[in-house]
């Protein structure tokens, strides 16, 4: 399987989880699942039980709708961080799910639009929140070029079968000074290295790619973006949420925590937990930067510069 970042054709198996190999490119370090997926197959994954399965499936969410207050707090923090770079305008949420982030951004004065592959989640966003959401992938949405001031992708890029294509389309729909914000698990982070195979973000049924700040920055660069900042990010959770998330990959620990905390008055108190993710802010490169990048690119054998 060829690497989506560098084109390397000699990946090695990094680990196997739930019978699915996760490969690591020996040339650039990008990690990806050894199981090509079709868009239709991926869309079918994100049915209603993906968002509320109480950990029966080993992927998806325990109760996404029931944890809306946690996501509301989380996305309030995310929009505050985003507004350090852009104060307002037209925003596209790619992988918007039920529209919680869009609802937060709209309340703060943004014009919001969304895209999500899940008919169930996008239907909730339209019918419950009255949001403008396209059901499908960004490449099929038909948004005009240069239309958005910000494209926001929270826990999305690791799910798609072709990240470079997604980034190329995100660049097309952004204004010349547009901002791209991506949040994704950090495969080089402390939790990933400490927990190994038990790291809860190793979910190869849904997570098809595993990035580090270095590999994501390199992919953004190839897609025409200049990364201006990367930061470690966490989640706003409570003990009930944490116990649920641990139940698949660390059931013994989840059982102990459940005995100690479940049902206690403070089990619903929220706190920030560093789940091993990172956030990247990137700007669209201008024409001169793009030309300089092409001029400095390695020349193919024979010395001819690629067109």
């Amino acid at each position: 399987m060829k690497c989506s970042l560098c084109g390397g054709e000699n990946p090695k198996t990094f680990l196997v989880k739930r019978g699915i190999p996760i490969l690591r490119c020996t040339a650039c370090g990008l990690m990806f699942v050894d199981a090509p997926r079709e868009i239709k197959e991926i869309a079918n994954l994100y049915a209603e039980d993906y968002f509320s399965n109480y950990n029966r499936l080993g992927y998806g969410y325990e109760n996404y709708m029931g944890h809306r207050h946690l996501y509301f707090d989380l996305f309030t923090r995310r929009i505050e961080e985003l507004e350090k770079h852009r104060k307002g305008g037209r925003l596209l949420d790619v992988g918007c799910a039920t529209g919680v982030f869009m609802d937060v951004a709209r309340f703060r004065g943004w014009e919001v639009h969304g895209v999500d592959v899940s008919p169930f989640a996008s239907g909730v966003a339209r019918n419950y929140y009255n949001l403008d959401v396209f059901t499908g992938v960004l490449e099929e949405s038909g948004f005009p070029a240069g239309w958005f001031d910000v494209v926001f992708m929270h826990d999305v890029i690791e799910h798609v079968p072709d990240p470079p294509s997604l980034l190329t389309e995100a660049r097309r729909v952004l204004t010349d000074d547009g901002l791209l914000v991506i949040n994704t698990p950090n495969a080089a982070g402390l939790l990933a290295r400490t927990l190994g195979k038990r790291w809860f973000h190793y979910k190869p049924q849904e997570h098809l790619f595993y990035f580090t700040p270095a590999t994501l920055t390199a992919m953004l660069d190839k897609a025409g973006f200049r990364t201006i900042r990367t930061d470690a990010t966490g989640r706003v959770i409570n003990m009930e949420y944490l116990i649920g998330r641990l139940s698949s990959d660390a059931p013994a620990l989840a059982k102990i925590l459940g005995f100690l905390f479940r049902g206690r008055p403070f089990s619903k108190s929220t706190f920030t937990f560093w789940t091993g993710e990172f956030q990247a802010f990137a700007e669209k490169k201008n024409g001169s930067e793009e030309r300089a990048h092409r001029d400095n690119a390695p020349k193919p054998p024979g010395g001819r510069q690629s067109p």
Side-chain angles (χ1 to χ4, degrees):
M1 187 172 178
K2 184 177 290 188
C3 175
S4 297
L5 174 55
C6 71
E9 298 181 348
N10 189 34
K12 302 297 184 184
T13 299
F14 180 75
L15 60 84
V16 178
K17 190 165 182 179
R18 297 190 173 95
I20 303 174
I22 296 175
L23 310 179
R24 187 177 187 275
C25 178
T26 55
C28 71
L30 180 67
M31 295 165 57
F32 45 91
V33 168
D34 185 19
R37 311 286 173 86
E38 299 293 330
I39 290 296
K40 184 178 180 180
E41 178 188 357
I42 292 171
N44 290 338
L45 182 71
Y46 302 107
E48 183 173 358
D49 62 355
Y50 175 87
F51 295 91
S52 182
N53 65 70
Y54 294 91
N55 305 299
R56 289 182 293 101
L57 302 178
Y59 60 88
Y61 294 92
E62 181 181 15
N63 186 1
Y64 191 91
M65 301 288 283
H67 292 141
R68 180 188 180 279
H69 61 293
L70 300 178
Y71 293 108
F72 184 89
D73 289 350
L74 172 66
F75 288 137
T76 298
R77 298 185 187 189
R78 292 287 188 265
I79 194 71
E80 288 172 349
E81 293 165 1
L82 188 160
E83 287 175 347
K84 294 176 182 177
H85 299 274
R86 296 291 188 279
K87 292 299 183 183
R90 187 178 288 129
L91 182 149
L92 175 64
D93 186 1
V94 179
C96 62
T98 61
V100 180
F101 177 79
M102 293 175 67
D103 192 44
V104 171
R106 177 173 59 180
F107 180 77
R108 297 173 71 94
W110 290 81
E111 178 188 331
V112 294
H113 303 266
V115 173
D116 199 279
V117 74
S118 167
F120 167 75
S122 58
V124 172
R126 284 190 296 268
N127 300 326
Y128 184 79
Y129 291 109
N130 195 30
L131 292 163
D132 174 36
V133 176
F134 172 80
T135 301
V137 298
L138 178 60
E139 294 89 330
E140 298 173 347
S141 61
F143 288 114
W147 207 52
F148 292 102
D149 301 289
V150 174
V151 171
F152 182 80
M153 301 182 188
H154 195 275
D155 297 354
V156 174
I157 195 167
E158 66 272 15
H159 291 256
V160 302
D162 188 0
S165 175
L166 174 64
L167 294 177
T168 297
E169 182 64 7
R171 187 181 188 281
R172 187 190 71 82
V173 301
L174 276 168
T175 59
D176 288 342
D177 61 346
L179 179 72
L180 174 64
V181 184
I182 296 176
N183 190 88
T184 191
N186 183 1
L190 179 62
L191 269 184
R193 291 183 280 114
T194 302
L195 296 176
K197 189 176 180 177
R198 291 181 297 170
W199 187 40
F200 36 81
H201 283 306
Y202 285 136
K203 297 186 286 185
Q205 304 99 313
E206 56 175 312
H207 289 176
L208 308 182
F209 286 84
Y210 299 87
F211 292 92
T212 68
T215 56
L216 182 59
T217 297
M219 189 172 285
L220 286 167
D221 181 64
K222 288 188 70 174
F225 290 95
R226 178 181 63 257
T227 301
I228 57 176
R229 171 183 158 196
T230 61
D231 306 292
T233 55
R235 297 275 174 164
V236 177
I237 67 171
N238 56 30
M239 286 305 301
E240 290 190 347
Y241 178 93
L242 180 60
I243 292 165
R245 296 299 279 181
L246 290 172
S247 63
S248 294
D249 294 299
L253 177 58
K255 188 174 182 179
I256 292 170
L257 292 176
F259 176 77
L260 294 173
F261 296 105
R262 196 184 294 276
R264 312 278 184 177
F266 51 82
S267 66
K268 296 183 182 295
S269 300
T270 60
F271 57 92
T272 300
F273 184 75
W274 299 100
T275 50
E277 302 169 30
F278 74 101
Q279 187 169 237
F281 294 83
E283 294 178 334
K284 188 173 174 178
K285 292 179 183 177
N286 59 38
S288 60
E289 287 178 303
E290 284 285 83
R291 286 191 295 274
H293 178 73
R294 288 196 299 270
D295 291 343
N296 293 325
K299 294 180 173 58
R304 276 185 77 241
Q305 183 75 27
S306 298

